[in-house]
Amino acid sequence: MNVLVTGGAGYIGSVVVEELLSTGGKVVVVDDLSKGHRNAVPDQVAFVEGNIRDHQLMKEILIENQIEAVVHMAASSLVGESVKLPDKYFDNNVTAAKAMLDAMRVTGVNKIVFSSTAAVYGEPKRQPITESDALAPTNPYGASKLEFERELQRQRDEYGLVFTSLRYFNAAGATSRCGEQHDPETHLIPIVLQAAMGQIPSVGIFGDDYLTPDGTCVRDYIHVRDLARAHVLALKDLDGSKTYNLGCGGDGYSVRQVINAACDITGRKITETIMARREGDPAVLIASSEKIRRELGWEPEFQDLGVIIRSAWTWTIAPGKRVSHSM
Ligand code: UFG
């Protein structure tokens, strides 16, 4: 299958590209490099630097490469930033993405796998979260992703669009090539590893007064390679309209558990500082991934937090670090 990956030079996108290549498909990447890195895209992949809202460019890419399906990952994706800059999130995640859907429609490409998020659930009433639970985002990031999910449903009804939405929980970890490093960094695991490296004096814990076992927020961390494999399965199965959670389930891990595990793995002292809660953060987000396990046969291989952090640490301290990413 000929697949276009939007945002394929980003952290998760580049690992999805690695997985797609390993299955032997033709892969094309479009990325405006506002966050992604050109060198994250392997040489055998056709790369186009451009923005998904460029209708003419998108039509050309879709036609010239005889694209059969799109994996749409190009987006703004930081919860905290979205609270400060909501317009940016609706513009990039809804308006630009709709322009891309228009290009798909006029070129007859009607299959898409969409990177959605656990943030569509907001502050859920029960855990683990299933796909049919209430959708009530508590931040503009989640609201923008939900709005685009609804656009996909609308275009399914109007034009027969075929889609799968994958609601990611907390992507983490690294492959031997690709790891996570943003500028500025906001995600917990890279920040904890920066503290382990002595690059920052301490890790700020955003609130220790949540109703969780140790008072800090609990998240469901999923290895980026497991996440990427789900895209390959979703592409093979594209038929109708489907929505799947993507997390490992279980009890999740608190911010403190992440810091403690990183201390053990790195053998370094990591100092913590309690700070105010970060606006828009739900206390607990844990996936039920029963549906994707049952319907697509997906199973996480690297669900242990230690394995996830070790892969990120190995990448972080690698001499002549390979590829760093911003999504
Ligand atoms: N945290 C800290 N200190 C930090 C950074 C993070 O205490 O310096 C806490 C956050 O408050 C949160 C947890 O660590 O409780 C994880 O935070 P991240 O910023 O790493 O990730 P988020 O849970 O905010 O968001 C991520 C993705 C979103 C996705 C969400 C779904 O960035 O795209 O997971 O669970 F929607």
Side-chain angles (χ1 to χ4, degrees), residues 12-40:
I12 302 173
S14 58
V15 182
V16 168
V17 169
E18 279 182 356
E19 284 297 315
L20 287 171
L21 285 178
S22 72
T23 65
K26 173 178 172 181
V27 184
V28 179
V29 166
V30 61
D31 196 304
D32 67 3
L33 300 183
S34 58
K35 298 278 186 178
H37 296 264
R38 175 67 185 89
N39 63 351

Side-chain angles (χ1 to χ4, degrees), residues 77 117 141 170 186-188 191 204 206 217 219 278 281 285:
S77 62
T117 171
Y141 169 59
N170 287 57
T186 66
H187 285 137
L188 180 64
I191 284 179
F206 297 147
C217 288
R219 293 288 182 272
R278 186 172 67 179
D281 265 348
L285 284 173

Side-chain angles (χ1 to χ4, degrees), residues 27-273:
V27 184
V28 179
V29 166
V30 61
D31 196 304
D32 67 3
L33 300 183
S34 58
K35 298 278 186 178
H37 296 264
R38 175 67 185 89
N39 63 351
V41 181
D43 292 342
Q44 63 269 48
V45 170
F47 174 77
V48 181
E49 182 175 345
N51 191 290
I52 56 164
R53 72 180 80 221
D54 183 338
H55 191 71
Q56 189 56 35
L57 176 71
M58 291 303 289
K59 280 196 305 188
E60 282 168 18
I61 296 172
L62 292 165
I63 292 168
E64 282 170 15
N65 295 287
Q66 299 177 301
I67 295 297
E68 296 162 272
V70 173
V71 177
H72 174 47
M73 314 190 72
S76 298
S77 62
L78 300 176
V79 170
E81 183 189 56
S82 79
V83 175
K84 295 193 182 87
L85 301 172
D87 291 350
K88 173 180 172 183
Y89 277 70
F90 286 96
D91 187 42
N92 286 342
N93 297 356
V94 183
T95 309
K98 277 188 188 174
M100 181 199 63
L101 284 185
D102 283 346
M104 288 174 61
R105 184 166 46 80
V106 298
T107 54
V109 179
N110 76 336
K111 293 190 169 106
I112 181 166
V113 174
F114 171 53
S115 304
S116 189
T117 171
V120 297
Y121 297 109
E123 188 79 62
K125 293 203 170 43
R126 58 176 191 178
Q127 307 284 344
I129 304 163
T130 67
E131 290 82 353
S132 56
D133 284 349
L135 300 171
T138 52
N139 53 62
Y141 169 59
S144 68
K145 289 283 186 170
L146 180 57
E147 191 168 326
F148 191 68
E149 280 197 11
R150 291 187 169 142
E151 179 64 19
L152 294 176
Q153 288 161 9
R154 199 183 66 75
Q155 299 219 8
R156 169 199 63 197
D157 297 341
E158 269 187 46
Y159 312 114
L161 185 72
V162 172
F163 71 87
T164 293
S165 289
L166 299 175
R167 292 178 179 159
Y168 304 167
F169 284 63
N170 287 57
T175 67
S176 55
R177 261 188 93 242
C178 301
E180 183 181 16
Q181 189 182 52
H182 308 80
D183 185 19
E185 187 53 74
T186 66
H187 285 137
L188 180 64
I189 290 177
I191 284 179
V192 168
L193 297 182
Q194 282 180 359
M197 297 276 280
Q199 293 169 348
I200 54 172
S202 74
V203 178
I205 296 180
F206 297 147
D208 68 346
D209 56 352
Y210 285 94
L211 288 177
T212 59
D214 67 15
T216 67
C217 288
V218 172
R219 293 288 182 272
D220 182 342
Y221 294 91
I222 171 171
H223 194 286
V224 65
R225 173 158 277 156
D226 284 332
L227 195 68
R229 278 193 305 105
H231 294 72
V232 176
L233 296 172
L235 276 168
K236 279 193 192 135
D237 172 77
L238 267 174
D239 176 26
S241 56
K242 294 169 188 167
T243 301
Y244 296 112
N245 286 342
L246 261 180
C248 294
D251 295 329
Y253 296 98
S254 71
V255 174
R256 274 225 167 81
Q257 284 177 306
V258 169
I259 295 172
N260 292 341
C263 284
D264 290 347
I265 287 160
T266 63
R268 311 268 177 104
K269 183 172 159 53
I270 301 174
T271 309
E272 52 189 59
T273 311

